[in-house]
Amino acid sequence: MPRFSIIVPVFKVQGFLHECIDSVLGQSYPDFEVIAVDDRSPDGCGAILDEYAERDARVRVLHLPENVGLGRARNAGLAEARGDYVLFLDSDDFYTPGLLAAVAERLTGAEDPDILVFDHVRTHWWGRGGRSEASELLARAGLDTFDLRTSPEYARLFLVAWNKAYRRDFFQGHGLQYAPGLYEDAPVTYRSMVLAERIACLNRIGVEYRQRRQGAITKTPGRRHFDIFPQYEGLFAFLKEREDLAWARPLLFERALDHMLFVIAREDRVTPADRRDFHREIRAFYARHCPEGFTPPEGPRGTEMRLLASSSYASFAALRGARGLRRLAGAGKRRTVGRASKAARHAYYKAQLRLPLDPHLAVYSATHHAGVHGDPAAIHAKARELAPHIRGVWVVRQDAVDALPPGIEHVTPGSREYYAVMARATYWVNNVNWPGSLAKRPGSVHLQTHQGTPLKYMGADLLDKPGARHGFSVPKMLHRADRWDLSLVANRYSELVWDRAYPCHFTSLRTGSPRNDALVDASAERAAAVRARLGIPDGNTVVLYAPTRREYRRGGHVDRIDLARFAADLGAGHTLVVRLHPSLAAGTARGLGLADLHARGVLVDATDEQHVEDVMLASDVLVTDYSALMFDYANLDRPIVVHADDWGAYAASRGAYFDITAEAPGHVSRSYRELAWLFASGTWQDEESAGLRAAFRARFCEFDDGRAAERVVRTVLLGDQPPRPEPAPVVPAPAAERAHSLS
């Protein structure tokens, strides 16, 4: 008997069906059956399913004699299910890698609850969207189980069949069945949730919920959306029969009204011509099922519910119209206030610009004001030591202020203090561009540190890469770069790239990269402290995986590796540490499994570590795709593996200055099988790898000698002329002091 039965009802989705079924069969957890229900699909879906069944014994196909609709197709599959748990998957959606393994692990940890709920992400036809509104609720649940009576807020979880794993004997024992028509998920979801004694949550994105550009029934306006009323009538008929569930009636009554009011507001569901009739049906439902003493919630939705008891459709429509007008009026007022506030700030800034520059004031920023890190942080730290008379002020976003180290003087963008500092600072240090609204004053010195050695196209080279430069203007970027006085470089290769990518009027500084001083002077004590903070067991070999973003996918994140499988294949004595690209840190990437795997101790998520140098110091080997991190990591003289399974797509969409697969700092894998073999065989640290790394270091770590920050401070802030760096990097100590060799 399999652990999971995955029921996939299929109708007119031949363009999406392969991706759906492949996402299931490609899961690392193998103990499942797929019951694909061909709902008399008129296209090629039936034949596609039969081909899968011939190739994989885990796939069974039911060909229904007539089209019965989504709900009853699910019921047909359910009758054939043999698994401990039942999952439903719509055939135009697909699973994320590693989902079933995570579900199996969570079910075991929760001692087989009645229901397990996991997260999803909407994938629009133009690309992936953001995380669901349920993610916060799922995270709050932690590893406990609960019931809906004591945790009623979980009634707000998404009303669908496919974000849950149901214990089969619970589901079938309570006679749960999907009714025909639209909105069939709602009564089954609510009925199962109030009946369940133990519900668990998994804070992981498990399903990519496809928002099709056309063909989705729920986004086709018409009378079919009146199906919502018989669906909820069935639910409340059930509740009426169960006096032991009287506690649930007010809760589910509110949720039903909320759902109906949501539907009537959508023009892609209820047409204006049908809206009066739809409102009449809501009022009739209200009159039949309103529990005694029901109190609507606070806010606009509660006001709408109160109107249902006594007011006409005209009053309801007037309320909605008034709310719309208030929103417009409020937006207009905000715009007026915003314009006045902006004018006042501009006037204040102009007044500050009339004051003299402060020769003892330097302003720092990193990665769009995200915090204190990178080359600017290393320069600031060295300036406090060698040039204490120069006051250093950081520009930091408000949401990053709480994470600042002690003793950091800072201003937030847009404040009066910000404009005063930006108007009068003599030294500006940043690793990205400053806003174009800020003036470059005569006598000020702008130092551009960049964000490492470039592999992918930058600046003007993006002009023929429209996908990579989506959302910003290359001419405006170059106009801002015209303010640079000095461009910091770590090697002559970078110097040539920056001259080409930014045809402006700056001078190159061959100083090396200040943030890499910590790598060249690698401290075993600092590495051990980081490993302890991250919870890495003593003596473990630490594999750092640092993927970069992809321009060929909206949002930038593409799952290249099943992280749970990789961590398991590395085996005992190894710890997998993952560091996402900063632009992906707040997106869906972590919800697609990373946060869950970190919580379960499968791997370590080090994305939020303030200083990436610490993460590199704590590791023994780097696995990356095309991240610029590899150029910095080479200073450590530790193995690097380049996982380049989509190099062609990446290079075509973003552009690259050279072929990293031909001039790699170590071995290159072009499939997960090759990557796993490199580690299983020990090849990742062989002599060939060392030779490739040595050539790479000689080229790209040319000026990194451990004194870059000092060289910048003495040159820029103190006006000295320190000696140029020697093109011979220092070989550091290993990641941690231990007697045994790495394996």
Side-chain angles (χ1 to χ4, degrees):
M1 185 169 66
R3 183 61 164 162
F4 299 129
S5 292
I6 301 166
I7 298 169
V8 185
V10 178
F11 183 74
K12 292 180 67 174
V13 289
Q14 63 180 6
F16 308 104
L17 189 54
H18 283 288
E19 187 173 17
C20 173
I21 302 299
D22 287 346
S23 76
V24 180
L25 299 181
Q27 293 284 312
S28 57
Y29 186 87
D31 190 13
F32 62 83
E33 63 175 358
V34 176
I35 303 173
V37 184
D38 173 18
D39 190 16
R40 199 66 177 177
S41 186
D43 55 9
C45 287
I48 293 172
L49 294 176
D50 288 338
E51 290 174 4
Y52 275 107
E54 289 179 8
R55 296 198 305 264
D56 196 314
R58 294 174 297 179
V59 179
R60 288 191 287 148
V61 182
L62 300 181
H63 294 285
L64 301 184
E66 60 180 354
N67 176 251
V68 297
L70 179 60
R72 286 188 286 183
R74 286 178 182 154
N75 296 338
L78 181 65
E80 299 293 323
R82 300 172 298 185
D84 298 329
Y85 278 82
V86 174
L87 294 88
F88 299 97
L89 177 63
D90 287 358
S91 50
D92 54 351
D93 299 335
F94 53 96
Y95 281 160
T96 61
L99 170 68
L100 295 184
V103 170
E105 179 87 13
R106 182 73 183 95
L107 290 173
T108 300
E111 299 179 344
D112 284 3
D114 299 321
I115 304 173
L116 174 67
V117 187
F118 44 86
D119 204 358
H120 71 279
V121 63
R122 292 176 186 267
T123 301
H124 301 274
W125 61 270
W126 65 83
R128 180 184 289 157
R131 293 200 67 175
S132 74
E133 296 177 357
S135 57
E136 184 178 343
L137 271 176
L138 296 172
R140 193 188 311 165
L143 299 179
D144 296 329
T145 59
F146 58 89
D147 60 64
L148 203 62
R149 186 169 189 172
T150 56
S151 301
E153 66 273 19
Y154 286 89
R156 296 180 177 273
L157 291 172
F158 201 34
L159 285 175
V160 289
W162 42 255
N163 65 348
K164 302 173 185 72
Y166 292 102
R167 188 159 49 80
R168 182 167 63 88
D169 57 5
F170 161 80
F171 198 88
Q172 293 180 327
H174 285 289
L176 294 171
Q177 292 273 299
Y178 291 94
L182 292 187
Y183 304 104
E184 77 291 338
D185 290 346
V188 174
T189 296
Y190 284 139
R191 187 173 170 182
S192 65
M193 293 286 278
V194 299
L195 289 170
E197 297 179 2
R198 298 176 63 248
I199 302 170
C201 292
L202 174 63
N203 184 25
R204 177 188 177 122
I205 294 173
V207 174
E208 299 249 12
Y209 172 36
R210 193 187 301 275
Q211 303 287 277
R212 291 159 64 183
R213 189 165 182 259
Q214 56 185 5
I217 297 176
T218 55
K219 291 192 174 182
T220 303
R223 298 288 294 190
R224 289 196 63 184
H225 292 279
F226 283 71
D227 288 354
I228 194 171
F229 300 110
Q231 298 288 8
Y232 276 107
E233 286 294 334
L235 173 63
F236 276 80
F238 161 74
L239 291 174
K240 187 176 181 179
E241 296 172 356
R242 295 287 299 263
E243 287 301 320
D244 59 317
L245 297 178
W247 61 268
R249 292 173 196 164
L251 173 65
L252 298 192
F253 182 72
E254 178 192 322
R255 301 312 307 148
L257 291 182
D258 184 82
H259 195 181
M260 294 170 186
L261 291 169
F262 167 81
V263 172
I264 195 175
R266 298 287 298 268
E267 292 190 2
D268 58 351
R269 301 195 185 196
V270 182
T271 66
D274 289 335
R275 199 156 291 154
R276 185 181 296 274
D277 289 346
F278 198 93
H279 179 263
R280 186 182 300 116
E281 292 290 342
I282 301 177
R283 290 192 65 194
F285 179 87
Y286 188 103
R288 283 193 299 271
H289 298 295
C290 182
E292 185 177 351
F294 170 69
T295 303
E298 297 297 324
R301 184 69 92 212
T303 302
E304 291 178 350
M305 291 180 186
R306 279 186 283 272
L307 280 177
L308 292 171
S310 57
S311 300
S312 65
Y313 173 72
S315 300
F316 175 80
L319 172 68
R320 281 192 167 270
R323 282 172 52 194
L325 289 173
R326 283 198 298 272
R327 282 196 297 270
L328 290 173
K333 182 178 180 181
R334 286 192 297 273
R335 284 195 292 268
T336 301
V337 171
R339 284 195 294 268
S341 177
K342 184 176 181 180
R345 290 195 299 267
H346 182 67
Y348 179 77
Y349 181 49
K350 287 185 68 175
Q352 292 294 309
L353 288 172
R354 289 192 287 269
L355 299 175
L357 288 172
D358 183 345
H360 299 143
L361 177 60
V363 63
Y364 297 86
S365 180
T367 321
H368 307 291
H369 316 319
V372 178
H373 56 261
D375 289 317
I379 295 169
H380 176 243
K382 186 59 68 172
R384 296 172 85 173
E385 173 189 336
L386 300 180
H389 61 287
I390 302 222
R391 174 187 167 211
V393 179
W394 279 82
V395 180
V396 182
R397 295 194 314 257
Q398 187 61 52
D399 61 347
V401 167
D402 290 342
L404 291 179
I408 295 295
E409 186 179 355
H410 69 278
V411 296
T412 55
S415 65
R416 287 173 65 89
E417 295 81 6
Y418 165 79
Y419 285 110
V421 166
M422 300 312 298
R424 302 201 58 200
T426 295
Y427 306 101
W428 292 23
V429 183
N430 203 342
N431 62 5
V432 295
N433 257 322
W434 294 98
S437 58
L438 298 175
K440 170 72 165 78
R441 298 185 63 179
S444 65
V445 178
H446 287 211
L447 172 62
Q448 170 60 231
T449 70
H450 305 288
Q451 296 186 69
T453 296
L455 171 63
K456 60 190 177 185
Y457 277 6
M458 306 291 286
D461 290 324
L462 292 174
L463 283 170
D464 63 348
K465 298 291 180 183
R469 59 179 169 83
H470 178 72
F472 67 89
S473 165
V474 171
K476 288 182 179 179
M477 179 171 56
L478 296 180
H479 178 71
R480 292 191 292 270
D482 279 332
R483 298 174 298 183
W484 301 352
D485 294 297
L486 302 169
S487 169
L488 200 155
V489 299
N491 46 65
R492 278 172 280 200
Y493 157 83
S494 294
E495 186 173 346
L496 295 175
V497 169
W498 299 137
D499 283 347
R500 164 181 163 154
Y502 298 101
C504 303
H505 305 289
F506 54 80
T507 298
S508 292
L509 277 185
R510 294 182 175 182
T511 58
S513 179
R515 72 175 185 272
N516 287 345
D517 291 348
L519 305 180
V520 176
D521 298 329
S523 162
E525 292 76 15
R526 181 173 174 180
V530 177
R531 291 163 71 98
R533 186 172 72 247
L534 296 176
I536 297 170
D538 289 341
N540 268 24
T541 298
V542 177
V543 179
L544 171 60
Y545 176 52
T548 194
R549 65 179 290 115
R550 303 299 201 274
E551 271 69 23
Y552 61 76
R553 171 72 69 88
R554 184 175 187 243
H557 176 68
V558 178
D559 294 304
R560 306 310 312 175
I561 292 177
D562 183 335
L563 296 175
R565 180 181 180 185
F566 189 33
D569 287 346
L570 288 173
H574 295 75
T575 298
L576 177 61
V577 175
V578 179
R579 172 82 176 195
L580 294 178
H581 189 276
S583 66
L584 303 176
T588 59
R590 299 169 99 166
L592 287 163
L594 183 55
D596 167 60
L597 296 174
H598 175 83
R600 292 195 281 120
V602 175
L603 50 73
V604 174
D605 177 9
T607 303
D608 290 335
E609 283 291 309
Q610 187 75 5
H611 299 287
V612 68
E613 305 85 56
D614 283 343
V615 183
M616 290 191 279
L617 283 169
S619 67
D620 299 298
V621 53
L622 171 68
V623 178
T624 187
D625 33 43
Y626 324 115
S627 170
L629 208 66
M630 72 179 84
F631 298 99
D632 304 320
Y633 196 86
N635 281 288
L636 289 169
D637 196 24
R638 299 173 192 166
I640 300 172
V641 174
V642 175
H643 185 57
D645 64 336
D646 66 339
W647 171 246
Y650 181 85
S653 60
R654 177 64 199 231
Y657 290 110
F658 67 94
D659 184 350
I660 191 61
T661 65
E663 302 175 71
H667 290 294
V668 177
S669 58
R670 297 183 182 274
S671 67
Y672 177 76
R673 182 177 182 181
E674 290 181 6
L675 177 64
W677 176 83
L678 286 173
F679 281 91
S681 64
T683 305
W684 62 277
Q685 57 174 343
D686 63 7
E687 291 185 6
E688 182 182 355
S689 170
L692 293 169
R693 186 168 68 253
F696 195 83
R697 287 172 60 229
R699 181 181 180 189
F700 296 112
C701 302
E702 186 179 7
F703 302 144
D704 284 336
D705 62 355
R707 297 184 60 193
E710 176 185 352
R711 195 172 291 113
V712 172
V713 171
R714 293 195 183 280
T715 301
V716 180
L717 302 184
L718 297 179
D720 296 343
Q721 293 295 326
R724 290 196 178 277
E726 294 291 333
V730 178
V731 178
E737 297 290 351
R738 54 187 185 272
H740 69 280
S741 61
L742 301 178
S743 59

